[in-house]
Amino acid sequence: MSAISDQKYVQMADEYEEVAIRRRARVSVPNPKEYNFPQVTNVVVTSKYTPWNFVFLNLWDQFQEVSNIYFFCVGILEIIPEITTTGGVPDVYIPLSFILFVSGVRAAFDDYAKHKEDHRVASRMIEVYNPGLAEKKRHLRVRRDSLTGEKVEATEGFVYKRSGDLEVGDVVRVRVGETFPADVVMLCSSHNQGHCFVETASLDGETNLKIKEAPAGLLAL
């Protein structure tokens, strides 16, 4: 019994060691090829359709409505010679087609607006800590303000990177009033005690500020 337990213990230890090796991470440097990290995009997609699936997916959505299914079936019955009252012409398809067309146009405009908003969010320039790249490619340290058009220079050691291009391990700098570009772990703040105040109204509707604190071990850095 003891031998079996020892064997299981050794096997579990080997599995944990293998997991520990696989869970290597990087911080503001390119992912080493030998680690073979999966590339996860930071682009948030709120739109529903694409130019390739719009017609099919939108029709599928519209025919989830019982009324549309009903009139579609009525049109089929109007084609059958034995029971038709319209001479075999599905008259009901004329108003049904008009309703489907108008609803489709409205859905297309709404989804196009979502595509534009997704692109705007993914194109926001975020400060990412990468002193090596900042030294080699100094043009990445400058961006233009979307409102004034003036040039804005990043903090020393930081470069600008599109929000949609952020990767796991990037160290980002978020300024007062800015939106977090991704799920982040707080490392430090401008306050001496390493805390900040975060508003989560877009997530839970609460407007009161919540206190977030950096790990105590990082305050001395």
Side-chain angles (χ1 to χ4, degrees), residues 9-190:
Y9 176 79
V10 172
Q11 183 180 359
M12 291 175 61
D14 293 340
E15 292 177 354
Y16 283 130
E17 183 178 0
E18 182 181 355
V19 172
I21 294 176
R22 289 202 308 265
R23 287 183 58 83
R24 292 176 179 175
R26 61 146 194 116
V27 176
S28 287
V29 293
N31 283 323
K33 295 182 179 179
E34 61 270 19
Y35 290 169
N36 194 25
F37 282 115
Q39 298 297 322
V40 181
T41 178
N42 191 49
V43 177
V44 177
V45 179
T46 61
S47 57
K48 187 174 185 179
Y49 306 108
T50 66
W52 320 114
N53 67 9
F54 174 77
V55 175
F56 307 101
L57 191 55
N58 182 255
L59 286 176
W60 171 262
D61 291 338
Q62 292 199 57
F63 275 102
Q64 303 303 308
E65 298 288 339
V66 178
S67 58
N68 291 339
I69 297 176
Y70 169 77
F71 288 113
F72 181 79
C73 295
V74 170
I76 295 177
L77 296 177
E78 289 180 341
I79 300 175
I80 302 176
E82 289 77 6
I83 60 175
T84 181
T85 59
T86 59
V89 179
D91 293 340
V92 72
Y93 282 172
I94 297 177
L96 178 61
S97 300
F98 178 77
I99 293 174
L100 295 178
F101 175 77
V102 172
S103 299
V105 171
R106 185 184 63 180
F109 274 102
D110 292 343
D111 206 64
Y112 178 69
K114 292 181 181 179
H115 275 285
K116 291 181 63 176
E117 180 64 16
D118 292 342
H119 178 72
R120 186 192 66 81
V121 173
S123 300
R124 283 198 309 123
M125 303 305 292
I126 307 298
E127 286 188 76
V128 177
Y129 183 71
N130 195 329
L133 188 61
E135 184 65 27
K136 293 179 181 178
K137 300 182 178 181
R138 301 190 64 84
H139 66 278
L140 295 179
R141 300 187 59 243
V142 180
R143 70 173 178 87
R144 287 194 175 276
D145 188 271
S146 59
L147 298 177
T148 62
E150 298 179 353
K151 291 184 178 181
V152 181
E153 188 170 351
T155 310
E156 188 67 29
F158 285 78
V159 296
Y160 282 110
K161 193 174 184 180
R162 292 177 68 255
S163 175
D165 296 333
L166 293 180
E167 300 177 273
V168 177
D170 282 340
V171 177
V172 301
R173 178 172 185 168
V174 181
R175 298 180 181 273
V176 176
E178 293 183 346
T179 303
F180 290 108
D183 293 335
V184 296
V185 176
M186 184 176 174
L187 302 179
C188 63
S189 76
S190 57

